[in-house]
Amino acid sequence: MQGPIEPGRLKLNRRCHFVMAFFIVAALLLCARLFYMQIIRYDDYRKNTVDQYTRNSVIRAKRGTIYDRNMKVLAISTPVKRIFISPRDIPKKTVAAFIEDQIAEIIGSDKQREERARLLALFEDPSLTVAQDIARELHKYLGVDEAFVLERCSMEKRADETIKRQVDVELAREIASMALTKGYGNMIFSADEAKRYYPYRSLASHVIGFCGTDGDGLYGVEAYYNKLLTGEDGRVTSAQDVNGNDISSKYESYVDAVDGTSIMLTIDWSVQSILEKYTEEAFQDTRARNRVCGIVMDVNTGEILGMATKPDFDLNDPYVLDAISQAMLDAYGTGEGEVVTQEQKEEFRKNLLYELWKNKAVTEVYEPGSTFKIVTSAMVMEENLVTASETFYCNGAIRVPGLDEPIHCHLRSGHGSETFEKAISNSCNPVFVIMSQRMGKDLFYKYYKAFGYAEKTGVDILGETGNMFFDLKTYSSVDAACAAFGENFMVTPISHLRAICAVANGGYLVTPHVLKASLDSDGNVVESVSAETKRQVVSTENCKVLWDYLYRSVESGGNKNAAVPGYKVAAKTGTSTKPYQDPSGRNLYVGSCVAFAPADAPEVAIIFLVDEPEGNYYGSLVAAPYVSKILSEVLPYLGVDASYTEEELNAIGSLIPDYTGRSLTYASSDAQGKGLNIRVEGSGSNVIAQSPAFGTKLSSGATIVLYTEDAAMDKNVSVPNVAGMSPAAANNALVSAGLNISISNGADNTVAVKQSIPAGEMVLPGTVVTVEFRVTQGVTD
């Protein structure tokens, strides 16, 4: 029998048991930890390891090019670089210590000394940290703030921190050379990117829009079709050792970028240029406070050939204000007693930019005024509520039940007896009130919806605004009476032109659009956009009758200023009063004109809007003349044949030859044979110069001045002021002064409103002065 255990051995056994238990628990915990790391968190730790020893580089997809309908480039991407750093690879040491690390592996003290001296010469201050030196270098090359770079350098676990985007390729090469020279090759990098370039700067700026520094579309077509244009970025994954050197690894991979799709717009560069030329001229002439806009559209397909708003902006530098907006910014807060903070001024600047960027044609509404009478006419003609032979009597006003005051005609004395066609030409409000009464408010609204006004057009441009009609809960016959002549409700220009196109194409409501086709990398059409017809609103037969009414209102009625020599134009002008006044209490107006041509087989329609003009504000004076100018260039460009009268042909004139270097005898005989008068300066026998110059158009009976060898070419003729004169009087004044005249729109009952050379300017004898004439009496809105 064993005796009792000694107290010392008992104590030792307990200690052994405790140690054994401790190791068992520790082993269990270790196993649990290993299970957690290798089984449960395996994917996370694997990813961290891969991230630590691999570098991902993005291959930017090339953004698609934007073309006009004739493949003229409107927007294209050019190569640039993104400069970025890898904070995790930037050592936390001074430049001096960094240099010592680089030369440590060089064998031989003399070679080390030489390399140290070479490297030290590259650094201005070796006592700086590597991060500080990198910040200094990038500030020098890129102009970025050093504190910003240092902040990025402090993100130790990051391998890609962008310093600057859209850096010129050559500058990026210089930065790469600096990085390699200083040993920063695994710390400073560049990646391919693209910068959007717009060859025509401000052309179609409100349609095309622009991109941000990240390459994504921010505005216009660039934003609307951003997904289509963008493509899909690729990626390169490469493995590196602890020193940042590339090594072969199973984690290496390469995914190709898929370039974005190029697109063709319906915009025609030439039509757009013509439209912009005259919207700018109208903006300058009328000094419109709230901008000028215009749209040219194919009446049958809804394709937008041109869309312009003035003032516009440079797509290559969209954050720069136009001159007028900049003047407003400069004047902000400078009034007596005004105090504004820098934050307030910056906010004001942002608002000015947003206003400048807004596409007025789709984002703003206005009262269409008498231009809406085209639509009302189509309604009543479709419902057989009026006949061609029916007559009305206008005494200057009409009373409407529910209104205390009568609705006046623009001609307060009244038009007297008139047919419906004449009422359209006279823009007679009382007759259109009668038309609304015949329809009733419900039928009127039915057609309002049918013409597409109760919905957005669906145009593929961001920011389209809906129209504003009366509250249907309170909508009354009085409202319908006012709406019949285009007042007290609001529409967007694009929505109104869409309805006008429905009349112009025989009654079909089409969807306006700016995308014509998507293209492959070779410029071949992948998918075309077909015309979308929503419905037929009115009959083609009634539309054709209305075409004739509107054409005759241009030829001999109240819309003469929209006439284009050689072409049949159907048009209607309008003037509406805005629901608010300027600070001085003066009423503000919108003058507009809609038109389509040729009137007997319409192809294109146009709307032109002048918002808050100074001085004259009637659409017939501030909008119709520019519609005439636009169509006079657009129609022949589109291949529409002109048919001129003999009088129109003579007014256009013909090109004069180049007589310089010819004998005086030949030049005199040839010019006289072309119906030109001759004036000779000098007594020589050969022509050394002529006025007007070769290529100028002169009508029969004009005078050409021929200079011989001994003649002095003195600018000794003062241009007379012909403002307010009739075409005949202006012609006499200029011819009497020894000058020639080129007449623009010089029909009967017109007066001179503009001359190409200011009165009083001294010019050569024979110089051609172009004089623009307009009808100022008898026009109607």
Side-chain angles (χ1 to χ4, degrees), residues 209-287:
F210 53 89
C211 295
T213 55
D214 61 357
D216 283 337
L218 294 180
Y219 185 74
V221 166
E222 292 276 30
Y224 194 94
Y225 288 109
N226 185 61
K227 188 174 181 179
L228 186 64
L229 290 162
T230 299
E232 188 174 339
D233 290 340
R235 183 172 296 275
V236 176
T237 302
S238 58
Q240 297 180 322
D241 61 21
V242 293
N243 295 316
N245 301 311
D246 290 340
I247 58 174
S248 178
S249 170
K250 64 180 180 180
Y251 299 121
E252 288 183 337
S253 64
Y254 184 94
V255 179
D256 279 324
V258 179
D259 289 340
T261 301
S262 294
I263 60 175
M264 177 193 292
L265 301 185
T266 61
I267 296 294
D268 186 300
W269 183 90
S270 295
V271 174
Q272 183 71 28
S273 298
I274 294 166
L275 178 62
E276 292 202 13
K277 176 171 65 174
Y278 291 115
T279 50
E280 177 64 28
E281 183 178 315
F283 179 70
Q284 297 297 334
D285 288 349
T286 65
R287 300 182 299 280

Side-chain angles (χ1 to χ4, degrees), residues 64-76 196 198-200 203-204 207-208 221 229 262-274 303-307 514-519 523 525 637-638:
T65 300
I66 300 176
Y67 299 92
D68 88 328
R69 67 190 298 115
N70 298 310
M71 291 299 287
K72 192 179 287 286
V73 174
L74 300 178
I76 192 168
R196 210 60 165 164
Y198 304 93
Y200 303 104
L203 187 89
V207 176
I208 299 170
V221 166
L229 290 162
S262 294
I263 60 175
M264 177 193 292
L265 301 185
T266 61
I267 296 294
D268 186 300
W269 183 90
S270 295
V271 174
Q272 183 71 28
S273 298
I274 294 166
E303 292 185 351
I304 296 173
L305 305 180
M307 177 182 283
V514 295
L515 180 65
K516 187 171 181 65
S518 57
L519 312 171
V525 173
Y637 166 75
L638 294 178

Side-chain angles (χ1 to χ4, degrees), residues 63-315:
R63 190 173 179 85
T65 300
I66 300 176
Y67 299 92
D68 88 328
R69 67 190 298 115
N70 298 310
M71 291 299 287
K72 192 179 287 286
V73 174
L74 300 178
I76 192 168
S77 294
T78 57
V80 289
K81 294 286 187 176
R82 176 178 69 96
I83 303 298
F84 66 98
I85 61 172
S86 177
R88 75 183 185 190
D89 294 311
I90 299 174
K92 293 182 180 180
K93 57 182 65 177
T94 64
V95 168
F98 176 66
I99 291 173
E100 291 302 319
D101 288 345
Q102 292 188 75
I103 67 175
E105 297 180 1
I106 298 176
I107 300 173
S109 59
D110 290 341
K111 290 184 178 181
Q112 286 185 343
R113 191 180 304 108
E114 290 175 6
E115 184 64 11
R116 183 184 293 108
R118 186 188 72 79
L119 290 174
L120 284 172
L122 299 175
F123 298 89
E124 295 179 16
D125 186 356
S127 66
L128 295 176
T129 65
V130 173
Q132 288 173 328
D133 188 63
I134 288 174
R136 177 177 289 188
E137 289 288 357
L138 293 180
H139 167 72
K140 182 169 61 177
Y141 280 97
L142 300 175
V144 292
D145 187 64
E146 289 185 39
F148 167 77
V149 180
L150 285 172
E151 181 187 359
R152 293 295 184 270
C153 289
S154 67
M155 299 177 179
E156 301 172 1
K157 296 182 179 181
R158 300 279 294 170
D160 186 337
E161 281 298 316
T162 298
I163 300 301
K164 192 171 184 178
R165 308 186 89 105
Q166 298 193 354
V167 176
D168 180 75
V169 172
E170 187 56 40
L171 179 57
R173 287 198 189 102
E174 294 177 17
I175 294 172
S177 177
M178 173 275 296
L180 289 173
T181 302
K182 285 192 162 188
Y184 296 158
N186 66 328
M187 306 175 207
I188 302 175
F189 301 88
S190 68
D192 291 334
E193 282 194 331
K195 181 180 181 180
R196 210 60 165 164
Y197 174 66
Y198 304 93
Y200 303 104
R201 305 178 70 86
S202 62
L203 187 89
S205 56
H206 291 93
V207 176
I208 299 170
F210 53 89
C211 295
T213 55
D214 61 357
D216 283 337
L218 294 180
Y219 185 74
V221 166
E222 292 276 30
Y224 194 94
Y225 288 109
N226 185 61
K227 188 174 181 179
L228 186 64
L229 290 162
T230 299
E232 188 174 339
D233 290 340
R235 183 172 296 275
V236 176
T237 302
S238 58
Q240 297 180 322
D241 61 21
V242 293
N243 295 316
N245 301 311
D246 290 340
I247 58 174
S248 178
S249 170
K250 64 180 180 180
Y251 299 121
E252 288 183 337
S253 64
Y254 184 94
V255 179
D256 279 324
V258 179
D259 289 340
T261 301
S262 294
I263 60 175
M264 177 193 292
L265 301 185
T266 61
I267 296 294
D268 186 300
W269 183 90
S270 295
V271 174
Q272 183 71 28
S273 298
I274 294 166
L275 178 62
E276 292 202 13
K277 176 171 65 174
Y278 291 115
T279 50
E280 177 64 28
E281 183 178 315
F283 179 70
Q284 297 297 334
D285 288 349
T286 65
R287 300 182 299 280
R289 296 186 185 185
N290 200 28
R291 306 193 292 171
V292 175
C293 76
I295 312 171
V296 178
M297 187 187 298
D298 185 310
V299 302
N300 297 302
T301 65
E303 292 185 351
I304 296 173
L305 305 180
M307 177 182 283
T309 298
K310 294 291 180 176
D312 53 19
F313 56 94
D314 187 345
L315 290 170

Side-chain angles (χ1 to χ4, degrees), residues 51 55 196 271 298 345 542 720 780:
D51 288 346
R55 183 181 303 282
R196 210 60 165 164
V271 174
D298 185 310
K345 191 159 188 174
N542 281 324
T780 57

